[in-house]
Amino acid sequence: MSAATPLGDLELIRTGTQGAVTAFDAPADGPVVDGHYPGFPVLPGVFLIEAADRTVRQWARTRPVEPEDAREAGADGDTDVALVAMDRCRFHRPVFPGDRVFADVSLTETAAELLVRAAVATNRGKVADLRLRYRRGPDDHGTGNGPVREESAS
């Protein structure tokens, strides 16, 4: 959620009108992994939350808009969102250094907010379930706007 995140850029795998999927490789080493926990390094869960949050923000900036919705959104669109609540956060298993991690977010839009269900997984299965709520408008705290790069066509 800050420029100092060990996640680096997230890779955009898929995006659509109601969600997106990103991926990243858990850092293989470094102070975050080495210190959590000594002798049994795992990626701290807060970075799984960050990955889901950054996926939502990327979706909001680049989401495909249905033609009938484009007229309502206006020329600017509504691309800013702010995280207002985490209604659920359940960690199922650890993420180990070097794991490939996928954040799959599904969004439901209401008049006032975005309701997000996020499933975070590795090749060993689901590692976290999240339920997040966002309001439309700028994030007053300046967090979560790290880059997401699109998957290459190769």
Side-chain angles (χ1 to χ4, degrees), residues 8 24 31 36-37 41 55 57-58 60 64 76 101 111 120 125 127 130 134 137-138 145:
F24 69 95
H36 189 80
Y37 297 94
T55 303
R57 291 170 188 278
Q58 174 68 12
D76 309 321
V101 182
V120 183
V127 296
L130 306 166
Y134 291 79
N145 292 315

Side-chain angles (χ1 to χ4, degrees), residues 73-93:
D76 309 321
D78 188 7
T79 62
D80 289 334
V81 295
L83 179 62
V84 295
M86 181 169 31
D87 296 325
R88 175 185 169 96
C89 179
R90 179 163 294 178
F91 299 115
H92 300 282
R93 59 179 49 97

